[in-house]
Amino acid sequence: MGEFWVFGYGSLMWRPGFPFRTRAPALLSGYHRSLCVLSHVHRGTPERPGLVLGLDRGGRCKGIAFEVAAGDHEPTLAYLREREMANYVYREAMVPVRLLDGSGRVVRALAYVVDRAHPQYAGPRGLDDTVRLVAQGHGKSGPNPDYVHATHAALMDLGVVDRRLKAVVERLGR
């Protein structure tokens, strides 16, 4: 199967959940990180949805690229499909990402891109509505605010300032 890379831009950065050989900061062009997905499973319920990140069209997104060893390709893909495709709000895409490890190498990586036609696509929202949805969300993976705080911390560790996510974190408090 050759090289297999996975691009993480949200919880995959801080909780990949699969074995990997290497990890490197990486840049994806053509998509941006956005709190644009109503969560009905991991960080909310259909009655009280949370709000999680998706890769939406346009812009650029810095995240983490994980290289998966040859023997782990199939189990990793099965794990990711179970985790990311619970409601099919994402679609799998092989995207070119530039490794920011000093090599400048471009690799093709699996990424989960939001499907704008899906009913759980929330699109851009005002700050008040975003904070309300995040604050109320709690699903099988835990409280939605924990997810937002952990992702913000992972981005800070990467040296990424996401002003929108920072504003949500500040409004949520601890």
Side-chain angles (χ1 to χ4, degrees), residues 35 51 123-136 148 162-173:
L35 281 168
L51 198 60
R125 304 186 87 79
L127 184 58
D128 288 343
D129 195 35
T130 297
V131 171
R132 179 187 63 77
L133 286 166
V134 170
Q136 81 176 10
V148 171
D162 182 318
R163 287 180 177 85
R164 178 72 173 175
L165 203 56
K166 182 180 180 193
V168 172
V169 165
E170 287 172 352
R171 289 280 296 277
L172 287 169

